[in-house]
Amino acid sequence: MRTIKPRTNQTLFDAALQNFGSVEAAFKLGFLNDKALTDKVSGLSLITDQDVESQLVYALYTRENVSPATDEYIEPQAEEGIGYWLIGDEFIIQ
């Protein structure tokens, strides 16, 4: 077994693509580490017994130094506009 360490804002899918060349590897990676596909994994050490599934993708990611990170959390914006105002509370009719 070997250990991989996902980078900041990486999901299981990102780590699987970078280390195994395939998103399918995310399912086994999650199972082996008792993590759901949507759990935050950046900063953790993950164990795996997998081999590279797609040599072509793995070679491209390695050669081009690609490190996908799609887990960036964006704070939801407050909904604004006339469609969200309450008449008599926030929207005063004059």
Side-chain angles (χ1 to χ4, degrees):
M1 292 230 176
R2 70 182 179 121
T3 303
I4 62 172
K5 188 167 177 84
R7 294 190 169 109
T8 304
N9 292 331
Q10 278 194 327
T11 63
L12 281 176
F13 290 108
D14 297 329
L17 264 174
Q18 183 178 356
N19 292 284
F20 307 107
S22 167
V23 293
E24 288 86 2
F27 297 97
K28 188 170 183 183
L29 196 58
F31 178 76
L32 286 173
N33 292 280
D34 196 28
K35 296 288 179 197
L37 294 173
T38 56
D39 286 350
K40 298 228 181 259
V41 295
S42 58
L44 302 176
S45 292
L46 302 174
I47 58 167
T48 184
D49 62 354
Q50 301 176 108
D51 292 324
V52 173
E53 293 186 17
S54 173
Q55 291 290 339
L56 182 65
V57 175
Y58 177 75
L60 175 70
Y61 275 46
T62 303
R63 184 180 68 238
E64 300 295 326
N65 198 23
V66 174
S67 180
T70 60
D71 189 32
E72 187 171 329
Y73 178 73
I74 299 173
E75 189 70 36
Q77 299 293 321
E79 296 174 337
E80 291 187 20
I82 197 164
Y84 297 99
W85 296 341
L86 298 174
I87 295 177
D89 185 33
E90 296 171 346
F91 180 63
I92 300 171
I93 300 174
Q94 297 181 358

